[in-house]
Structure formats: structure tokens, C-alpha cells
Amino acid sequence: MREEFWDTAPHYGGKEEIWDALRAAAEAQLDLAQAIVDSAGIIVTSEDMTVCYDERGAKYELPKYVLSEPVNMIKDD
């Protein structure tokens, strides 16, 4: 589901480079994620990064499943 979201996210509007930065931030550790968001000029308006805006005011909404690891899955070994 994550790959499908990120593949189709630019079609929801906004700039592709902002979507790329949001993906990189979502997949990074907290310190690096903050640096990515800051350098891209992304304004995070929710505590969990589900609602963000770019400098031009375009809204980006991220589903929770792209922001956290699943806890109900069994890992293949």
C-alpha cells in the first residue's frame, strides 16, 4: 500500500519534489526527517506529519500507514 501511495501521490496535486521530500522524511530517522522537511520548505501542521503544506500553500495529506511501521505483520526470515 505504501508503494502504491507514493507512486500515485503526485497525482493528488502539489509539486513532485515536495512529495519526494515527504517520502524521504517519512522513511528517515527523526533528526534527518526534520532536516529534510526544513530544507524543502515544508510546513507541518499536525503532530504526526499527516497534514503538511508547501511554501505556496498547497496541501499534502499523508495516510498514517506511510508514516509508521506496521505492528501487526509477521516478518519473513
Side-chain angles (χ1 to χ4, degrees), residues 9-20 22 52-54 56-61:
H11 300 290
Y12 298 121
K15 295 176 144 185
E16 188 168 350
E17 56 268 19
I18 299 295
W19 284 113
D20 291 343
L22 287 169
C52 304
Y53 293 87
D54 65 20
R56 305 185 101 183
K59 186 176 184 180
Y60 300 81
E61 293 184 77

Side-chain angles (χ1 to χ4, degrees), residues 38-52:
D38 291 344
S39 66
I42 297 169
I43 301 157
V44 180
T45 60
S46 61
E47 291 181 10
D48 58 4
M49 212 172 94
T50 54
V51 180
C52 304

